[in-house]
Amino acid sequence: MGWAFAIFENEEPRALPDPINNAKFIRDLYEISDLENSKKGRYSVPVLWDIKSNTIVNNESSEIIRIFNSEFNHLARNPDLNLYPVELQASIDEVNSWVYDDINNGVYKVGFSTTQEDYDKTVNALYAGLDRAESLLEKHRYLVGDILTEADIRLFMTLIRFDEAYAVNFKCNKQLIREYPNLFNYTKDLFQVPGVGETVDFYHICRGYFSNFVGINPYKIIPIGSTSWVDWSTRHNRDHF
């Protein structure tokens, strides 16, 4: 059925029902959009929903990021922010390619490995990617220089979940993000960008990762997480760049 919406407002802390279609699952939205073809693919998130045509217009996160970067500036609180500037597009695309393959998708390759051989191969690729990012951040405040771009947002989404979920549930435990000097302070730096930290909900991160993947965690036990000793709002060391 895919992603489940809250049925009523106080069912789950900070989770809300679908206010447009009253959908119970993300599958409902796919079936509203295209009932005939809805069973041919996965009921994935995120989705960008158009209330005028009452349909999903996009379900690819990398494309949705760029749509929101430029197409709704007339509605944006910060319309001058550009996370994909023309002069950096080639560099951003190059970084995105290996960050996605080795890190963003890499943690899933590791977590869903079904043989020791697959695990060894994917976990080594993951940590090679993290080492590459750590080295890059030795020279620059951000991944492609001294300004925040979409490449940083995309990497941040994995880093902020890493110690909490991937290290435990996905067996990505060779080295934690808080053990990388540059990646750790970089993650704190991004967390402290106005508007970013309040989107991070460790309660939901834990509930999601430890409750939904029953093949990995059949008893749905939620372990004590790194939020017990990591305060992402403490001072970072990135200002010298």
Side-chain angles (χ1 to χ4, degrees), residues 83 85 87-95 98 133 135-152 186 189-190 238-241:
L83 297 174
E87 67 276 13
L88 294 177
Q89 287 178 3
S91 297
I92 292 170
D93 291 344
E94 192 275 327
V95 168
W98 62 263
S135 178
L136 197 60
L137 293 168
E138 183 74 36
K139 307 176 186 73
H140 306 286
R141 182 166 184 171
Y142 303 111
L143 287 175
V144 295
D146 296 322
I147 68 168
L148 181 73
T149 70
E150 73 164 45
D152 301 295
Y186 166 81
D189 188 6
L190 296 181
R238 310 298 291 169
D239 288 330
H240 66 280
F241 288 104

Side-chain angles (χ1 to χ4, degrees), residues 44-62:
S44 62
V45 290
V47 298
L48 183 58
W49 183 266
D50 178 14
I51 61 173
K52 290 185 70 175
S53 58
N54 207 41
T55 190
I56 295 171
V57 293
N58 200 294
N59 67 348
E60 169 50 53
S61 58
S62 63

Side-chain angles (χ1 to χ4, degrees), residues 161-202:
R161 290 163 169 75
F162 198 95
D163 291 5
E164 192 76 45
Y166 303 134
V168 182
N169 215 30
F170 285 8
K171 305 180 183 69
C172 303
N173 63 346
K174 177 184 176 183
Q175 189 170 345
L176 303 176
I177 297 305
R178 63 179 180 271
E179 295 171 330
Y180 286 95
N182 295 319
L183 282 171
F184 182 47
N185 281 282
Y186 166 81
T187 306
K188 289 198 290 184
D189 188 6
L190 296 181
F191 182 89
Q192 293 168 32
V193 172
V196 173
E198 54 261 43
T199 70
V200 178
D201 191 320
F202 287 108

Side-chain angles (χ1 to χ4, degrees), residues 41-173:
R42 291 174 58 243
Y43 306 114
S44 62
V45 290
V47 298
L48 183 58
W49 183 266
D50 178 14
I51 61 173
K52 290 185 70 175
S53 58
N54 207 41
T55 190
I56 295 171
V57 293
N58 200 294
N59 67 348
E60 169 50 53
S61 58
S62 63
E63 295 174 6
I64 292 173
I65 288 172
R66 293 191 181 169
I67 290 170
F68 277 107
N69 184 59
S70 58
E71 297 304 317
F72 297 98
N73 283 345
H74 61 293
L75 301 173
R77 293 179 184 174
N78 191 4
D80 295 327
L81 177 64
N82 184 4
L83 297 174
Y84 193 57
V86 172
E87 67 276 13
L88 294 177
Q89 287 178 3
S91 297
I92 292 170
D93 291 344
E94 192 275 327
V95 168
N96 282 345
S97 66
W98 62 263
V99 165
Y100 173 78
D101 195 44
D102 295 341
I103 303 175
N104 297 142
N105 196 37
V107 292
Y108 288 91
K109 293 177 187 178
V110 174
F112 290 99
S113 294
T114 55
T115 68
Q116 188 67 50
E117 183 181 8
D118 283 344
Y119 173 81
D120 292 344
K121 177 181 177 181
T122 55
V123 81
N124 285 329
L126 166 64
Y127 278 96
L130 289 172
D131 290 343
R132 185 175 180 180
E134 174 75 4
S135 178
L136 197 60
L137 293 168
E138 183 74 36
K139 307 176 186 73
H140 306 286
R141 182 166 184 171
Y142 303 111
L143 287 175
V144 295
D146 296 322
I147 68 168
L148 181 73
T149 70
E150 73 164 45
D152 301 295
I153 302 301
R154 289 171 54 141
L155 179 57
F156 173 79
M157 301 307 295
T158 299
L159 298 183
I160 197 66
R161 290 163 169 75
F162 198 95
D163 291 5
E164 192 76 45
Y166 303 134
V168 182
N169 215 30
F170 285 8
K171 305 180 183 69
C172 303
N173 63 346

Side-chain angles (χ1 to χ4, degrees), residues 218-241:
Y219 296 106
K220 302 183 179 182
I221 294 170
I222 301 175
I224 294 174
S226 63
T227 49
S228 301
W229 56 83
V230 174
D231 183 355
W232 296 101
S233 64
T234 57
R235 195 67 201 146
H236 56 76
N237 66 358
R238 310 298 291 169
D239 288 330
H240 66 280
F241 288 104

